[in-house]
Amino acid sequence: MIALAWLIPVFPLLGWAVNAFFGGKMSKGISGAVACLAVLASFAVSLGVFFELLDAGEHAHTVHLFSWIEAGNFVSNFSFLIDPLSSLFLLVITGIGFLIHVYSTGYMKEDEGHNRFFAYLNLFIFFMLLLVMGDNYLLMFVGWEGVGLCSYLLIGFWFKNREYNNAARKAFVMNRIGDLGFIIGILMIWVNFNSITYSEVFAGLKGMRTDDPTLIAITVFLFIGAMGKSAQIPLYTWLPDAMAGPTPVSALIHAATMVTAGIYMVARSNILYTLAPTGMEFVAVVGLITALFAATIGVFQNDIKKVLAYSTVSQLGYMFLGLGVGAYTGAVFHVMTHAFFKALLFLAAGSVIHALHHEQDIRKMGGLKGRIRTTFMVFAIGTIAISGIPPFSGFFSKDEILAHAFNHSPIYWLLGVIGSMLTAFYMFRLFYLTFFGKFRGHEDPKHPIHESPPSMTIPLIILAVLSVLGGLVGIPHLFGAPHLLGDFLQPVFSDSVSRMIPLSLSHTTEWTILAITLSCAGLAIYLAFQAFRKKEIIPPASEKEMGVMSRVVFNKYYVDEIYNAIITRPLDKISRFLSLVADPQFFDGIVNGMGSLVRWSSGIIRYVQSGYLGFYIFLMALGVGLILLFKIYL
């Protein structure tokens, strides 16, 4: 089956082609079915590849397709690398992607751009698969840019709305800033290793000293790319605005595709980072700050999707914290569990929005527990899972990251626990305000609140099961059970693990930090219960009713306004000056002046070409005379 791995990205590409070129001639049902079957076929092959990889003696296989670029010394093949890391991501992308496709058939049923939507979804899956399957940084970059393009198309899917277009443009521009760092990192890899293929680059690391300045620079520039794609400080503001796209798009971006690209890239380059501890520290610090910063914002948001969006930014911060402290398996583990419960939460939020006819403000919800019971149940599971409560999936992956953080620095661990507390608080705040108390919205008798159709609820139920059981593949050794995921990924990270300080916490210490973490999460849930379930406190309708600090956090620390003040507006003013003043009066003057000069000079010189023989003889004699004078006197 590994030899047929090239089929995995081909199926979604075919699905895109069919919907893009023939979608207008097909019914919505057939269009959706084509898109779903394309991703399902990819999932089936990915599953076959996964099981063959489990049985194979060798853990890394290269599927060479053709020679791609040859220019001088630069050679790049179009080849796929199939190993445990890429295999795991293939299952997540195609598995979660398929469920999101099925859900979309119900959610987008009435949309006039139905066929176009599924064409974009298939293309999104194709580029993400290309990103994780490539055996070199250039092919990864092609997928990297492809998912950026697709996110732009899907965030601005409802392009008649100017606000949505601005959100799409913002995502596109901010990602290009990060991409510049990624390009510089790839160029530095090529210059220093004379190759961009993973195996050749990693083999070229032998003999390099730890924390070589070149390695530090490469890892930092690569990570700048990840900061854009995976929404880390300071390049995170595009992700909450990306909620402008349809809800299934949010689920796809946040759970299975785009934002996990940065995590994959750093995990794939793990040996580079291990040999550059300064670069790792940079990753850990940025991740930790992002996790805390975004969690505080999530506490004060009232848009159901924006709470989840800031939650994603925060959870991605946890993943980078894990990568930065050497918990490579833990970070990838959290990618997987996060894909389960974040896809579940976004799609469940979509079900709520669907039931309330596009209402997204949780202040206008409440009392939905008994009216959309399936959505309520799965949302509860997702909330418990992301809050890190055992035995749900989020507990195991988050605990692994926090244990490594403690091993690296107790301060990192403490800040991580505070972030975890905030996560539990804002998620249960969201849960209680949405489903408990009295209904606070406007109910239209012609369109009563109702549960979503099976095409939407069945994917939710499957994701809920995964959110409950998904963590069992990574049970800590503390519990005496095998860490199946760690054993599976061991060949990918073995070189790095052998060079790092091992996790050396005693069982007493592990039990202690585990008890503290759970107690903090329990306290946060209790506070949320007291405030939003028992006392039924409703967030204020106006900013004027908030305190100063609450208003600052509610406005997301005014980061967007600061960016507008120090970057966007000055650039707009410079552009306006260049357009209205410098361009017409200076640059146009230079260009027009050059034209006038040429026209004037040609008008003078044209007399030389008069056609009169006598004039030519006169010039010839004059020239001979000047040459003689030159020879005589000089």
Side-chain angles (χ1 to χ4, degrees):
M1 191 59 83
I2 290 175
L4 297 177
W6 58 274
L7 284 171
I8 297 173
V10 166
F11 287 126
L13 187 64
L14 287 175
W16 162 78
V18 171
N19 266 312
F21 296 108
F22 307 106
K25 298 177 182 177
M26 298 188 298
S27 68
K28 290 182 177 179
I30 294 177
S31 171
V34 167
C36 292
L37 289 173
V39 184
L40 180 62
S42 293
F43 177 69
V45 179
S46 300
L47 210 55
V49 167
F50 172 75
F51 283 116
E52 186 172 337
L53 205 58
L54 278 178
D55 296 333
E58 294 182 7
H59 298 288
H61 302 260
T62 300
V63 180
H64 177 71
L65 297 179
F66 52 84
S67 296
W68 184 22
I69 301 173
E70 292 186 22
N73 294 330
F74 183 83
V75 178
S76 181
N77 294 322
F78 202 100
S79 303
F80 294 148
L81 174 63
I82 303 298
D83 70 349
L85 183 62
S86 58
S87 175
L88 183 69
F89 271 82
L90 290 179
L91 289 177
V92 171
I93 295 165
T94 55
I96 304 294
F98 170 67
L99 294 175
I100 293 172
H101 272 67
V102 173
Y103 177 95
S104 301
T105 58
Y107 193 87
M108 300 296 288
K109 190 176 180 180
E110 306 298 331
D111 198 283
E112 60 182 14
H114 184 274
N115 301 336
R116 179 167 55 89
F117 178 78
F118 278 104
Y120 290 165
L121 279 191
N122 271 182
L123 194 63
F124 209 160
I125 295 286
F126 163 73
F127 276 119
M128 192 63 198
L129 292 171
L130 207 60
L131 190 154
V132 300
M133 292 182 73
D135 81 331
N136 61 73
Y137 284 101
L138 188 59
L139 200 49
M140 178 194 279
F141 186 71
V142 172
W144 191 275
E145 289 303 301
V147 294
L149 168 68
C150 291
S151 68
Y152 170 77
L153 294 172
L154 284 165
I155 294 168
F157 180 74
W158 289 315
F159 57 85
K160 293 179 182 176
N161 185 315
R162 188 179 183 83
E163 186 182 342
Y164 295 175
N165 286 333
N166 289 339
R169 188 177 58 182
K170 185 177 182 180
F172 191 81
V173 171
M174 293 204 80
N175 271 280
R176 298 293 79 72
I177 296 170
D179 291 352
L180 178 62
F182 192 26
I183 291 170
I184 294 173
I186 294 174
L187 289 174
M188 289 188 70
I189 288 173
W190 161 249
V191 169
N192 287 281
F193 298 97
N194 202 31
S195 175
I196 52 168
T197 303
Y198 303 140
S199 57
E200 294 174 0
V201 172
F202 301 155
L205 290 169
K206 292 177 181 174
M208 290 192 78
R209 63 187 175 88
T210 302
D211 246 355
D212 186 289
T214 302
L215 287 180
I216 295 173
I218 289 173
T219 52
V220 169
F221 277 119
L222 289 179
F223 182 62
I224 290 172
M227 288 161 71
K229 198 64 74 185
S230 297
Q232 296 295 286
I233 285 177
L235 302 177
Y236 71 95
T237 57
W238 67 270
L239 189 57
D241 287 5
M243 298 303 97
T247 299
V249 173
S250 304
L252 196 62
I253 290 176
H254 288 245
T257 56
M258 188 164 170
V259 297
T260 61
I263 311 293
Y264 174 78
M265 187 266 284
V266 176
R268 172 60 71 197
S269 310
N270 65 86
I271 189 64
L272 280 171
Y273 283 89
T274 301
L275 291 173
T278 303
M280 284 184 75
E281 204 68 34
F282 180 60
V283 173
V285 170
V286 171
L288 186 57
I289 294 173
T290 305
L292 271 174
F293 186 79
T296 58
I297 297 176
V299 172
F300 288 89
Q301 296 304 302
N302 296 319
D303 184 308
I304 188 171
K305 288 174 67 178
K306 285 207 170 180
V307 176
L308 297 178
Y310 279 104
S311 164
T312 299
V313 176
S314 180
Q315 296 302 308
L316 290 167
Y318 271 106
M319 295 171 204
F320 280 116
L321 170 63
L323 293 170
V325 298
Y328 294 120
T329 300
V332 174
F333 187 18
H334 202 52
V335 169
M336 187 187 81
T337 59
H338 180 262
F340 297 154
F341 55 70
K342 189 48 65 72
L344 170 64
L345 287 167
F346 262 113
L347 297 185
S351 182
V352 172
I353 295 167
H354 183 264
L356 299 180
H357 311 293
H358 305 293
E359 180 58 71
Q360 295 186 197
D361 192 332
I362 55 177
R363 291 170 297 188
K364 299 176 182 176
M365 297 181 185
L368 299 177
K369 175 186 172 185
R371 307 179 74 171
I372 46 174
R373 198 150 191 85
T374 303
T375 302
F376 162 72
M377 293 294 291
V378 298
F379 202 99
I381 291 172
T383 302
I384 297 170
I386 196 174
S387 300
I389 305 300
F392 291 68
S393 59
F395 162 74
F396 295 103
S397 54
K398 197 177 288 186
D399 174 69
E400 189 167 336
I401 290 174
L402 288 176
H404 278 80
F406 187 89
N407 196 52
H408 184 79
S409 163
I411 295 175
Y412 285 14
W413 168 80
L414 179 61
L415 295 175
V417 170
I418 294 171
S420 183
M421 275 187 74
L422 291 170
T423 302
F425 182 81
Y426 67 67
M427 283 308 303
F428 273 88
R429 169 183 178 268
L430 174 66
F431 178 61
Y432 289 133
L433 287 172
T434 302
F435 293 100
F436 290 88
K438 296 178 181 176
F439 181 65
R440 302 179 293 276
H442 172 70
E443 195 156 358
D444 184 355
K446 295 181 181 177
H447 302 94
I449 297 171
H450 59 87
E451 184 56 275
S452 299
S455 59
M456 293 170 66
T457 53
I458 291 173
L460 289 176
I461 293 168
I462 295 172
L463 285 167
V465 173
L466 291 171
S467 298
V468 175
L469 303 176
L472 299 179
V473 299
I475 297 174
H477 294 300
L478 180 68
F479 294 90
H483 195 303
L484 299 176
L485 186 66
D487 295 341
F488 179 62
L489 292 174
Q490 188 270 340
V492 181
F493 302 129
S494 57
D495 283 349
S496 291
V497 171
S498 65
R499 287 176 166 85
M500 289 188 302
I501 299 172
L503 185 65
S504 56
L505 302 179
S506 66
H507 280 191
T508 305
T509 306
E510 282 199 64
W511 279 115
T512 304
I513 62 175
L514 186 62
I516 294 173
T517 305
L518 287 175
S519 301
C520 290
L523 176 63
I525 294 169
Y526 173 75
L527 292 175
F529 173 80
Q530 286 292 324
F532 305 106
R533 174 72 181 95
K534 198 169 182 181
K535 298 179 182 175
E536 297 190 6
I537 296 174
I538 309 301
S542 168
E543 291 183 40
K544 294 177 182 176
E545 301 173 34
M546 298 179 181
V548 176
M549 279 308 298
S550 302
R551 198 181 310 156
V552 170
V553 182
F554 174 75
N555 285 295
K556 299 157 279 183
Y557 298 98
Y558 296 101
V559 171
D560 277 319
E561 287 77 4
I562 293 170
Y563 283 176
N564 282 333
I566 64 175
I567 299 174
T568 308
R569 285 178 196 159
L571 285 176
D572 284 346
K573 287 182 180 178
I574 292 171
S575 301
R576 200 171 297 114
F577 170 78
L578 292 173
S579 170
L580 300 177
V581 180
D583 194 31
Q585 297 183 17
F586 182 70
F587 296 113
D588 278 0
I590 293 175
V591 174
N592 292 335
M594 289 298 294
S596 299
L597 177 65
V598 171
R599 189 171 58 187
W600 174 80
S601 58
S602 63
I604 299 297
I605 296 172
R606 73 185 175 85
Y607 291 112
V608 176
Q609 298 288 332
S610 62
Y612 293 108
L613 183 61
F615 183 69
Y616 292 154
I617 293 173
F618 167 74
L619 288 179
M620 186 175 67
L622 180 63
V624 170
L626 289 174
I627 291 171
L628 287 174
L629 286 173
F630 182 79
K631 287 289 185 183
I632 292 170
Y633 293 104
L634 296 176

